[in-house]
Amino acid sequence: MNAERETAAPEEGERGYDVVVVGGSAAGLSGALTLARARRAVLVIDAGRPRNAPASHIHNYLGREGAAPSQLLATGRGWNRKPASAYSAMEP
């Protein structure tokens, strides 16, 4: 199937995005970083209230077994902000 994609051009002074990621925890930040590395314009929207905040530890997350959810989030946000400047497509 060959479908045409309609896109609205951004107004002057506005920036368009290829992808809007809703949720800035581990999965959202990981996806946003991967997309930015693929040179996609990415916007991350996050309310700052992770759903796993009440949990004392995370499990089944490679390399972070037993870590506190807040620790994983802080590590991810700190790591993703620095390299974001290297990817012009990603805004933290």
Side-chain angles (χ1 to χ4, degrees), residues 4-86:
E4 288 188 34
R5 186 177 100 171
E6 285 189 38
T7 58
E11 297 290 324
E12 189 173 328
E14 291 182 353
R15 178 165 182 180
Y17 297 98
D18 297 316
V19 179
V20 176
V21 176
V22 179
S25 286
L29 292 176
S30 179
L33 184 59
T34 299
L35 289 162
R37 286 179 173 162
R39 301 192 185 277
R40 299 292 182 244
V42 181
L43 173 67
V44 177
I45 298 174
D46 183 49
R49 295 182 311 232
R51 293 189 306 169
N52 66 345
S56 60
H57 298 89
I58 56 174
H59 301 285
N60 299 324
Y61 198 86
L62 186 61
R64 298 290 179 184
E65 182 70 27
S70 59
Q71 180 185 22
L72 176 66
L73 185 58
T75 300
R77 285 189 174 166
W79 186 85
N80 278 322
R81 287 196 189 280
K82 189 171 182 180
S85 61

